[in-house]
Amino acid sequence: MMKYKEYVHLVKSDLHRYAGNSKFSSFLYHKTFEAGFKYSFWMRTCAYVKSKKILKILFPICWLILRHHQIKYGIGISYNTKIGSGFYIGHYGGIVINQKAVIGKNCNLSHQVTLGVTRRGERQGCPVIGDNVYIGPGAKIIGRVVVGDNAAIGANCVVTRDVPEN
């Protein structure tokens, strides 16, 4: 169950990655014009509303707005996905994240990124992404792969093995 303070912290930390601050005027600007922030805001809001018994009645509306943004911007990230604070979507379009993937703090995603599941072999499962990770355009991370903290995945890489820190 997500607490209100945790929800506000996640939204503010995401906003800080886009605007460099967490002022209300920056929130309004980025909520209106920045597709990545709009998506992450509704994703966080869906997770928060779903976790609160009293607010659950608002969940269908929040989910419909999130679903609208999924279709409009081509971003497929479930509100159930565990994503740390400071999440940044640099360019929208073609982003697909399995809901069982885990993403750490201050992660940057570019367009055409896939974090996918493998259901067979020794690496069956979903990726775990560490803190302060950059994932370049077109990168595919498939299976139970651990990407260490402070790592960078280059453009169009296909990652099927663990990536060490730094």
Side-chain angles (χ1 to χ4, degrees):
M1 184 175 285
M2 186 185 298
K3 295 182 179 178
Y4 180 73
K5 282 187 177 185
E6 182 183 355
Y7 165 71
V8 170
H9 169 72
L10 289 171
V11 171
K12 281 185 173 183
S13 64
D14 292 349
L15 176 61
H16 196 273
R17 294 293 308 280
Y18 287 90
N21 63 58
S22 53
K23 296 177 186 172
F24 185 69
S25 59
S26 296
F27 172 79
L28 290 177
Y29 177 82
H30 285 84
K31 175 76 177 60
T32 305
F33 297 111
E34 186 65 49
F37 181 71
K38 272 191 234 184
Y39 189 87
S40 64
F41 170 78
W42 285 109
M43 182 183 63
R44 305 275 194 201
T45 302
C46 275
Y48 175 69
V49 168
K50 179 88 180 213
S51 72
K52 295 296 180 190
K53 199 172 198 174
I54 238 168
L55 296 175
K56 243 183 194 174
I57 195 163
L58 297 174
F59 176 74
I61 295 166
C62 294
W63 183 84
L64 282 173
I65 294 169
L66 180 66
R67 184 72 179 131
H68 168 75
H69 289 315
Q70 283 179 339
I71 294 165
K72 183 176 180 178
Y73 299 124
I75 301 172
I77 307 172
S78 171
Y79 63 89
N80 289 322
T81 307
K82 291 182 180 135
I83 300 176
S85 59
F87 185 57
Y88 182 82
I89 300 171
H91 303 282
Y92 61 89
I95 298 172
V96 179
I97 309 294
N98 187 286
Q99 73 175 355
K100 294 187 178 176
V102 177
I103 300 174
K105 296 177 185 173
N106 299 319
C107 182
N108 284 19
L109 289 185
S110 297
H111 60 286
Q112 300 297 324
V113 168
T114 300
L115 302 182
V117 65
T118 299
R119 302 221 187 273
R120 60 188 179 104
E122 63 185 47
R123 293 220 177 252
Q124 70 184 34
C126 290
V128 176
I129 310 299
D131 297 341
N132 306 312
V133 173
Y134 170 78
I135 303 175
K140 313 295 182 223
I141 304 173
I142 310 296
R144 191 183 63 222
V145 173
V146 176
V147 177
D149 296 345
N150 305 309
I153 308 295
N156 293 319
C157 286
V158 177
V159 180
T160 58
R161 304 262 182 240
D162 291 350
V163 177
E165 290 185 0
N166 301 312

